[in-house]
Amino acid sequence: MKRFVVVGLGGFGFWVARELHQQGFDVIAIDKNPELADRCAPFASHCVAADATDPDTLRRAGAEAADAGIVSTGDDLAASILAILALRDVGVEQIYAKISGLQAARALERFDLADMVFPERESATRLARRLTSSVVLDYIPLGGEYSIQELAIPDPWIGKTLRELSLRKAHGVQVVALFDVLTGVWTVAPDPDKPLMESDVAVVAGNDRALTKLLAKAR
């Protein structure tokens, strides 16, 4: 079973720990605030109110050689750095850090993290995409200029097949799945010769500019 260490149990850290625990993983949750640790205790394999910047504390908590660590210490950049170093000291190689801004991102770049999570910016980007499009239901950035988007089927596409639309060849956009909201059925790698229906939602992947241009044409 994979083991994850979550350092910092505020809003973000709490929900990460809870989700991982509900998925059946071994979760070590640590926060120096006893109230936050108590709140998270039902949603972790082991929850500790302690200073996670101390490698010995991490070892006693069972964090040694965990599969991954998630650092979510809010705006306390110094605590984030010390927690990252402590996790590395106990053999945790894959470390993810929640950041609060670009300054924190620049400070943490040198630590070769698996990823830096900027929830506020990502949520804002996803909301802006939804607000400015009549068909974009969700937006997930992949990095660079690429994303996965969940789209209501544009009116001009209804009744046409993916082969007819030729989205991949003409626009470099790939439809990876369809979801029928009436039946609740997902179809991964959909049949290219099946006509699209008004009740379909398409999950597409591609370049942001290509997707924006494609959807503008489909209005």
Side-chain angles (χ1 to χ4, degrees):
M1 179 188 297
K2 284 189 174 182
R3 174 175 296 178
F4 298 96
V5 184
V6 181
V7 175
L9 302 175
F12 181 81
F14 170 80
W15 286 107
V16 170
R18 177 171 177 162
E19 183 63 26
L20 290 170
H21 184 259
Q22 289 181 340
Q23 291 185 32
F25 295 110
D26 187 10
V27 177
I28 309 298
I30 307 174
D31 196 293
K32 62 183 180 181
N33 185 329
E35 293 182 1
L36 294 181
D38 287 344
R39 182 185 68 159
C40 193
F43 309 106
S45 310
H46 185 46
C47 197
V48 181
D51 182 2
T53 65
D54 177 19
D56 290 334
T57 297
L58 293 178
R59 291 189 183 95
R60 288 193 295 271
E64 195 164 11
D67 293 278
I70 300 93
V71 176
S72 176
T73 55
D75 295 330
D76 193 340
L77 180 58
S80 295
I81 292 173
L82 292 173
I84 290 167
L85 294 174
L87 287 167
R88 287 270 164 77
D89 283 346
V90 300
V92 180
E93 296 183 0
Q94 294 290 315
I95 300 176
Y96 300 78
K98 174 185 176 291
I99 60 173
S100 57
L102 297 179
Q103 184 176 358
R106 287 193 292 268
L108 296 179
E109 282 177 351
R110 68 192 68 183
F111 293 97
D112 193 27
L113 301 175
D115 198 7
M116 288 183 284
V117 183
F118 194 168
E120 290 83 1
R121 183 175 67 179
E122 292 173 7
S123 296
T125 299
R126 293 173 70 176
L127 178 59
R129 292 280 178 168
R130 292 168 61 185
L131 291 174
T132 56
S133 173
S134 60
V135 295
V136 176
L137 305 177
D138 204 352
Y139 173 90
I140 303 172
L142 293 178
E145 298 180 348
Y146 293 87
S147 65
I148 294 176
Q149 300 188 31
E150 188 176 295
L151 311 175
I153 299 298
D155 288 343
W157 295 9
I158 296 172
K160 295 184 179 180
T161 68
L162 293 176
R163 193 183 302 279
E164 288 176 307
L165 292 170
S166 190
L167 300 178
R168 182 176 180 181
K169 184 177 180 180
H171 305 281
V173 172
Q174 179 69 51
V175 176
V176 297
L178 291 172
F179 176 68
D180 189 329
V181 297
L182 294 181
T183 63
V185 174
W186 279 98
T187 304
V188 179
D191 182 350
D193 295 312
K194 183 179 181 296
L196 297 173
M197 301 183 296
E198 187 176 3
S199 60
D200 282 334
V201 169
V203 179
V204 302
N207 179 276
D208 282 346
R209 284 181 292 181
L211 284 166
T212 299
K213 185 176 180 180
L214 174 63
L215 294 177
K217 289 183 176 179
R219 288 175 182 170

